[in-house]
């Protein structure tokens, strides 16, 4: 059983490609069913965020190309469009990669904590659809354990650095006193919740939160003294806000150029600051062409993010050591798991041979045979049956020059090495 990670991220693919490969919640059930049925993957999990789409798999070692073809077809792309941006990690590298992702070391913002929650959601979704088995379950659990150690034993999370934080930092360069500004947050997930917290810390007092579900919008908004609205109400309030930050899972844009143009006329061209964190994008790219609109996407946040990353580089080196140790621990557990399965099969075979010999002995006793003779025959029969096939295979391996098999036999049974140049001829078994 091979472990594989396949995907694209912010380092290998531009936003335009990442948004075409993103999975919407509505198609997850279909994706899990097709992925396992057509690619040779017996276990699967899908992580889809604004910065990455990754597939975590347990299955055939040669299923990578089948997965690439499936992923391309599922999203209506040509394989060639994905190949140059696609990466594949196998076994130990797949383990290390997931732990780096969970710990925030592979994120655009080094050490950002949101990815751990997103990875936990991906695992929960895989379990919900019956796609995660013993191998991926153990991998996710170990990755979460390592990520927790990284968070608590290093300084990688001390400074509030994230995509949300970077977005708010950019807003502070445009508005000198943010206490006078009104913010419209579109979406009500963890990223928007974090944006709201950073905006409040930056001085923003007036909040509107728009979401498909009004109840969730109200809950998040009221926590900051704001008001929740539905997505359909956005055009009516757009002229009254100064900051728009959006992060939803909508497959289509929520805010279009026409709506922003109408709002700008009402605002007498007072500037807008907008950040679209979503993939696929929530705000039409054409909005950026309007005067008095400063529109940024996740890819535009690189400058702010790179400045903040430098403060975390020392902690990242410590984190890498924890991840290396965590990878080795997991691989040891995996090898032990394989040993358990092999030993179970070995014991079952031994018990079958034992039962056959016992049944022969019982028949002899019922027929009046001498008990001592029967017991001695039982012992010989069990010994011969258990040792016959291993003896044949050891002789064969030794004749082929694979002397390590004999060495393993000595180690397993704590046998002393013969001093004689030629060992005595063993009794025929």
């Amino acid at each position: 059983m091979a472990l594989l990670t396949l995907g694209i991220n912010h380092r290998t693919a531009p936003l335009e490609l990442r948004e075409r490969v993103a999975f919407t919640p509505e198609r997850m059930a279909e994706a899990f069913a097709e992925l396992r049925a057509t690619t040779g993957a017996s276990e699967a999990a899908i992580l889809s965020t604004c910065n990455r789409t990754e597939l975590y798999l347990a299955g055939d070692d040669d299923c990578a190309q089948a997965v690439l073809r499936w992923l391309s077809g599922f999203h209506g792309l040509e394989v060639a469009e994905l190949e140059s941006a696609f990466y594949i990690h196998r076994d130990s590298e797949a383990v290390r990669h997931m732990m780096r992702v969970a710990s925030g070391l592979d994120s655009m913002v080094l050490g950002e904590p949101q990815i751990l929650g997103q990875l936990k959601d991906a695992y929960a979704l895989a379990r919900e659809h019956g796609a995660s088995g013993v191998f991926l379950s153990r991998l996710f659990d170990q990755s979460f354990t390592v990520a927790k150690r990284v968070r608590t034993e290093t300084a990688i999370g001390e400074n509030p650095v994230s995509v949300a934080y970077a977005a708010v930092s950019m807003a502070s360069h445009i508005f000198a006193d943010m206490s006078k500004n009104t913010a419209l947050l579109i979406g009500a997930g963890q990223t928007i919740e974090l944006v709201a917290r950073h905006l409040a810390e930056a001085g923003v007092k007036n909040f509107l939160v728009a979401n498909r579900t009004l109840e969730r919008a109200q809950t998040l908004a009221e926590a900051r003294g704001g008001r929740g609205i539905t997505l359909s109400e956005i055009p009516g309030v757009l002229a009254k806000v100064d900051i728009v930050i959006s992060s939803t899972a909508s497959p289509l844009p929520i805010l279009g150029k026409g709506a922003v143009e109408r709002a700008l006329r009402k605002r007498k061209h007072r500037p807008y600051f907008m950040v679209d964190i979503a993939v696929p994008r929530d705000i039409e790219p054409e909005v950026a062409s309007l005067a008095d609109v400063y529109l940024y996407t996740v890819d535009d946040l690189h400058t702010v993010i790179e400045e903040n990353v430098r403060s975390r580089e020392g902690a990242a080196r410590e984190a890498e050591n924890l991840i290396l140790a965590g990878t080795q621990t997991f691989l040891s557990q995996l090898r032990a798991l394989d040993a358990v399965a092999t030993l179970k099969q070995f014991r079952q075979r031994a018990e079958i041979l034992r039962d056959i010999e016992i049944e022969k002995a019982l028949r002899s006793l019922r027929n009046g045979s001498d008990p001592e003779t029967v017991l001695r025959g039982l012992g010989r029969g069990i010994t011969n049956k258990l040792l016959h096939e291993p003896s044949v295979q050891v002789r064969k391996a030794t004749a082929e020059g694979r002397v390590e098999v004999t060495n393993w036999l000595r180690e397993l049974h704590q046998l002393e090495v013969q001093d004689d140049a030629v060992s005595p001829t063993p009794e025929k078994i």
Side-chain angles (χ1 to χ4, degrees):
M1 181 72 70
L3 290 171
L4 297 170
T5 298
L6 306 96
I8 64 171
N9 64 21
H10 58 283
R11 292 189 182 90
T12 67
L15 176 60
E16 290 76 13
L17 181 57
R18 297 201 308 273
E19 63 185 357
R20 294 175 68 192
V21 184
F23 287 85
T24 60
E26 294 79 14
R27 298 195 69 191
M28 276 297 189
E30 176 190 359
F32 278 117
E34 287 188 12
L35 178 58
R36 298 174 69 203
T38 63
T39 65
S42 57
E43 300 180 29
I46 300 172
L47 175 66
S48 187
T49 73
C50 60
N51 284 329
R52 72 182 65 242
T53 291
E54 291 186 341
L55 310 176
Y56 306 107
L57 310 168
D60 298 338
D61 186 52
D62 59 353
C63 72
Q65 287 304 312
V67 173
L68 178 57
R69 289 193 297 272
W70 170 80
L71 185 65
S72 302
F74 188 85
H75 291 293
L77 300 169
E78 295 294 329
V79 173
E81 294 181 80
L82 278 181
E83 278 183 321
S84 61
F86 208 62
Y87 49 82
I88 303 171
H89 301 297
R90 287 184 169 85
D91 298 325
S92 61
E93 281 304 309
V95 174
R96 178 173 174 268
H97 178 78
M98 182 185 283
M99 292 180 184
R100 295 188 80 253
V101 170
S103 302
L105 296 191
D106 197 57
S107 298
M108 179 186 291
V109 181
L110 183 64
E112 61 94 2
Q114 283 70 44
I115 188 62
L116 180 58
Q118 292 166 333
L119 200 61
K120 288 181 176 180
D121 290 343
Y123 176 41
L125 198 61
R127 293 181 62 186
E128 178 185 327
H129 290 282
S132 178
V134 63
F135 291 97
L136 286 188
S137 294
R138 286 174 176 265
L139 177 55
F140 275 105
D141 288 341
Q142 181 69 7
S143 296
F144 298 153
T145 298
V146 169
K148 183 178 180 181
R149 287 193 64 192
V150 168
R151 189 64 49 185
T152 56
E153 297 179 24
T154 75
I156 201 161
E158 286 186 356
N159 298 319
V161 181
S162 65
V163 170
Y165 181 78
V168 175
S169 295
M170 294 184 76
S172 66
H173 292 302
I174 295 175
F175 301 107
D177 182 2
M178 294 176 68
S179 65
K180 299 177 182 179
N181 301 121
T182 299
L184 168 63
L185 307 182
I186 305 175
Q190 291 182 342
T191 300
I192 288 296
E193 192 171 354
L194 191 60
V195 166
R197 177 162 69 84
H198 288 313
L199 283 172
E201 291 171 353
V204 175
K205 296 182 174 63
N206 301 313
F207 286 91
L208 290 172
V209 178
N211 193 49
R212 183 178 57 181
T213 305
L214 180 59
E215 182 180 359
R216 174 65 180 150
Q218 289 173 331
T219 300
L220 197 156
E222 289 170 3
R224 300 293 172 188
R227 178 167 65 93
I229 62 174
T230 63
L231 297 179
S232 61
E233 295 178 81
I234 290 176
V237 302
L238 195 56
K240 303 173 185 177
V241 305
D242 309 295
I243 299 167
V244 179
I245 301 179
S246 186
S247 178
T248 78
S250 173
L252 298 172
I254 291 171
L255 190 58
K257 181 181 178 183
V260 178
E261 282 179 315
R262 289 189 291 274
L264 278 171
R265 286 194 290 271
K266 293 179 183 178
R267 291 169 59 81
K268 298 181 180 178
H269 296 280
R270 282 184 293 117
Y272 270 126
F273 172 77
M274 298 184 177
V275 179
D276 188 353
I277 305 175
V279 177
R281 281 174 279 196
D282 286 337
I283 302 174
E284 287 184 349
E286 292 77 13
V287 171
S289 66
L290 298 174
D292 304 311
V293 175
Y294 300 88
L295 173 61
Y296 301 92
T297 68
V298 287
D299 286 357
D300 296 319
L301 302 178
H302 274 294
T303 302
V304 175
I305 288 167
E306 286 171 1
E307 292 174 1
N308 296 326
V309 161
R310 283 192 283 274
S311 67
R312 297 190 171 195
E313 289 177 348
R317 287 190 289 272
E318 298 174 28
E320 292 285 7
N321 291 331
L322 291 174
I323 288 168
L324 178 60
T327 300
Q328 293 170 341
T329 297
F330 174 79
L331 293 174
S332 296
Q333 292 173 349
L334 210 58
R335 287 190 291 268
L337 187 65
D338 183 59
V340 168
T342 302
L343 288 170
K344 182 179 179 181
Q345 187 179 12
F346 178 64
R347 177 175 287 276
Q348 287 173 341
R349 182 180 179 187
E351 289 173 347
I352 290 171
L353 296 174
R354 176 204 64 195
D355 291 345
I356 291 172
E357 293 303 310
I358 288 175
E359 187 56 40
K360 285 170 59 178
L362 290 173
R363 284 199 303 271
S364 295
L365 289 172
R366 285 193 289 267
N367 291 332
S369 299
D370 176 54
E372 183 177 347
T373 302
V374 171
L375 286 175
R376 291 184 184 281
L378 174 63
R380 284 194 302 274
I382 291 176
T383 302
N384 289 342
K385 285 288 194 300
L386 287 176
L387 297 183
H388 173 72
E389 189 60 34
S391 298
V392 170
Q393 295 302 323
V394 168
R395 289 192 188 102
K396 179 182 177 183
T398 304
E400 293 172 351
R402 292 185 289 129
V403 295
E404 69 275 8
V405 175
T406 305
N407 294 334
W408 273 111
L409 183 63
R410 290 196 187 102
E411 183 174 340
L412 286 171
H413 294 282
Q414 297 294 291
L415 303 176
E416 294 182 2
V417 178
Q418 294 282 348
D419 292 331
D420 298 340
V422 180
S423 299
T425 303
E427 179 183 352
K428 185 177 180 181
I429 296 176

